[in-house]
């Protein structure tokens, strides 16, 4: 008899897990996702700038044997092994892969929910696109947050030439090496982005932004890219979570609440040493979560996850990018690659995210 494995969330972690599971003849895989598209979140800055569609049918990225259910999970009943959806259905499972991802968290800025837009999810990006389309010529867009998403967003919008772009942040590119930060700043300046750094935004109103030092900036549109918050589903389902609401898992990615639930991606937290919310972690963790399930089904001990970070790849418009190399634990090294070669490499990285969990030409797949 086949085992029923339900994958909750059709993002990078979920599709990588589903593809790995679908290679096993003894498993029936069901993927549960609110929409029928796979959203390439790492291209949502391109989506709002009009340089990429950033979505494709989920069916086109999954093997035919994976059953797709289009619905939103509302509660996980870990005791009775089923998920209740917004359409009122109960989907039973032998094992559940929990991968509902994250969304933008701008709760620390007064007025952000009413007056700013963001691009952490497709729905958020749709709102941002509408507001951008309504702006007059030469309007000023203020991107708030100079992490990797903020840098990519500011560069992508500036390169279109349709708006003036300002970036307000604490430390620009805080996760990069000193060389990487210098390179990001130079590239943004070349694209005409005004960087206001070493200061926090405290409030956003309809047409102005207030900084912690009392400065008031006028702005036609504010886009927040400050942080991501994990899905709240684990907390609302009574599973053990960390302070942010991410489902707690052990080093084999098994939930600390239920042995029949594994987790991967932005929505889970690995004990006291969390993984960076990133595709780079979500894809191999999705594969690893699937392998944990397969090992348990075969009566074998699951293996602990070993981090194998390579670096951070940041697009700087369509013609430039910054590849920041790191050690396996995600600490940035001095080495960076920039320019057209880096832009080509970044594009290959974006495409490779869709191949997680499937075997390459040498019948191998990249895992952690
Ligand atoms: C603009 C931008 C650029 C980025 N660039 C990079 C980058 O260059 N490199 C990098 O490593 N990372 C990057 N990231 C971060 C990366 O996108 C995330 O870390 C990654 O998407 C996490 O994968 P995931 O599978 O956990 O979640 P997601 O990709 O968000 O997928 C979660 C899925 O679960 C679904 N879901 C949510 N709730 C439910 C529910 N209740 N029931 C059923 N399904 C549900 C969602 O609809 C979604 O399809 C970027 C993010 C953004 C926004």
């Amino acid at each position: 008899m086949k085992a029923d494995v339900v994958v909750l969330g059709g993002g990078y972690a979920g599709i990588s897990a589903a593809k790995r599971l679908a290679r096993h003849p003894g498993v029936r895989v069901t993927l549960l996702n609110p929409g029928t598209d796979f959203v390439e979140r790492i291209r949502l800055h391109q989506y709002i700038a009009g340089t990429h569609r950033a979505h494709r049918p989920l069916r086109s990225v999954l093997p035919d044997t994976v059953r797709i259910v289009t619905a939103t999970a509302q509660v996980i009943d870990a005791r009775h092994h089923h998920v209740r959806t917004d359409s009122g259905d109960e989907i039973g499972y032998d094992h559940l892969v929990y991968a509902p991802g994250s969304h933008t968290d701008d709760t620390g800025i007064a007025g952000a929910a009413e007056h700013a837009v963001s691009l952490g999810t497709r729905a958020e990006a749709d709102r941002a696109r509408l507001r951008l389309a309504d702006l007059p010529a030469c309007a000023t867009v203020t991107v708030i947050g100079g992490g990797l998403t903020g840098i990519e967003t500011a560069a992508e919008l500036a390169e279109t030439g349709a708006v003036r772009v300002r970036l307000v942040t604490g430390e620009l590119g805080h996760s990069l090496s000193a060389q990487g930060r210098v390179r990001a700043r130079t590239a943004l300046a070349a694209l005409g982005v005004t960087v206001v750094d070493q200061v926090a935004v405290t409030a956003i109103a309809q047409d102005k932004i207030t900084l912690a030092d009392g400065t008031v900036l006028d702005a036609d549109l504010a886009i927040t890219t400050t942080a991501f918050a994990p899905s709240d589903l684990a907390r609302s389902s009574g599973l053990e979570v960390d302070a942010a609401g991410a489902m707690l898992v052990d080093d084999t990615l098994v939930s600390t609440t239920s042995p029949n639930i594994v987790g991967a991606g932005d929505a889970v937290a690995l004990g006291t040493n969390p993984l960076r919310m990133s595709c780079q972690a979500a894809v191999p963790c999705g594969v690893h979560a699937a392998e944990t399930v397969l090992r348990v089904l075969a009566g074998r001990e699951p293996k602990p996850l070993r981090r194998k970070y390579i670096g951070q790849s940041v697009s700087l418009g369509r013609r430039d990018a910054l590849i920041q190399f790191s050690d396996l634990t995600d600490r940035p090294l001095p080495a960076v690659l920039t320019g057209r070669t880096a832009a080509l490499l970044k594009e290959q990285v974006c495409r490779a995210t869709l191949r997680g969990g499937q075997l390459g030409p040498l019948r191998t797949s990249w895992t952690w």
Side-chain angles (χ1 to χ4, degrees):
M1 219 176 71
K2 289 194 178 201
D4 273 309
V5 182
V6 173
V7 177
L8 194 166
Y12 295 97
I15 64 160
S16 303
K19 283 193 282 186
R20 177 65 189 93
L21 289 161
R23 279 165 39 199
H24 195 286
V27 172
R28 192 165 35 229
V29 187
T30 300
L31 184 128
L32 177 61
N33 194 64
T36 54
D37 282 337
F38 170 71
V39 176
E40 290 188 66
R41 267 182 83 188
I42 61 171
R43 293 193 194 266
L44 284 178
H45 57 298
Q46 291 187 250
Y47 177 65
I48 66 163
T51 60
H52 201 282
R53 281 167 54 81
H55 64 274
R56 58 186 76 207
L58 257 178
R59 189 74 276 167
S60 70
V61 298
L62 289 170
D64 290 345
T65 50
V66 174
R67 180 171 77 115
I68 300 174
V69 174
T70 306
T72 302
Q74 286 194 321
V75 70
I76 299 163
D77 184 337
R79 225 171 115 219
H80 299 102
H81 294 194
H82 67 241
V83 177
R84 194 164 342 112
T85 72
D86 57 346
S87 43
D89 293 331
E90 278 178 6
I91 304 178
Y93 63 82
D94 296 312
H95 290 268
L96 177 73
V97 179
Y98 179 79
S102 63
H103 52 272
T104 299
D105 177 12
D106 53 17
T107 45
I109 305 176
E114 299 83 353
H115 302 293
V117 291
S118 49
L119 71 165
T121 63
R122 167 80 181 275
E124 293 173 22
D126 279 334
R127 282 194 292 278
R129 244 171 99 108
L130 284 177
R131 291 281 302 278
L132 278 164
D134 262 358
L135 290 177
C138 293
T140 299
V141 172
T142 301
V143 176
I144 299 170
L148 306 187
T149 306
I151 293 172
E152 291 194 323
T153 304
E156 199 78 26
L157 288 173
E159 199 179 64
T160 66
V163 287
R164 290 197 190 102
V165 182
R166 179 200 286 136
L167 178 60
V168 184
T169 185
E171 175 96 57
L172 180 72
H174 59 86
S175 62
L176 302 170
S177 64
Q179 291 87 333
R181 287 197 293 272
V182 168
R183 185 61 187 84
R185 189 180 291 275
T186 311
L188 289 171
L191 287 165
V193 177
T194 306
V195 174
V196 179
D197 60 346
Q198 307 301 341
V199 66
V201 169
T202 53
I204 303 172
Q206 198 174 359
D207 52 5
K208 63 179 187 183
I209 292 167
T210 307
L211 309 187
D213 61 8
T215 308
V216 177
L217 304 171
D218 54 358
D220 299 300
L221 179 63
I223 304 181
T224 53
T225 66
T226 36
F228 294 138
S231 163
D232 203 42
L233 182 61
R235 183 176 1 223
S236 61
S237 298
L239 305 176
E240 195 183 5
V241 294
D242 71 0
M247 185 180 83
L248 280 173
V249 291
D250 66 18
D251 62 359
T252 66
L253 302 182
V254 174
S255 153
T256 54
T257 316
S258 165
N260 296 75
I261 302 178
V262 292
D266 286 5
V268 309
L270 239 151
T272 52
N273 190 4
L275 299 162
R276 173 161 55 91
M277 281 187 177
S278 63
C279 247
Q280 193 176 165
V283 171
C285 285
V287 176
H288 196 93
E291 290 187 343
T292 288
V293 170
L294 295 175
R295 281 185 161 262
V296 171
L297 286 172
R300 295 161 70 198
E301 275 294 305
K303 282 187 183 167
L305 184 83
R306 285 184 212 284
R307 292 154 206 255
K308 292 182 206 151
Y309 285 99
I310 298 169
Q312 303 166 46
S313 56
V314 191
S315 65
L316 298 165
R318 293 301 88 212
R319 294 183 288 273
D320 193 5
L322 169 65
I323 310 291
Q324 166 70 70
F325 296 99
S326 70
D327 68 13
L328 295 178
T329 67
D330 208 24
R331 266 194 308 251
L333 301 168
V336 294
L337 180 70
T338 58
R340 289 231 178 224
T341 310
L344 279 172
L345 198 55
K346 165 74 180 176
E347 179 55 31
Q348 293 314 311
V349 169
C350 289
R351 292 182 190 188
T353 56
L354 296 175
R355 293 199 291 270
Q358 116 198 348
L359 289 178
L362 300 175
R363 298 203 59 74
T364 57
S365 68
W366 181 59
T367 51
W368 274 9

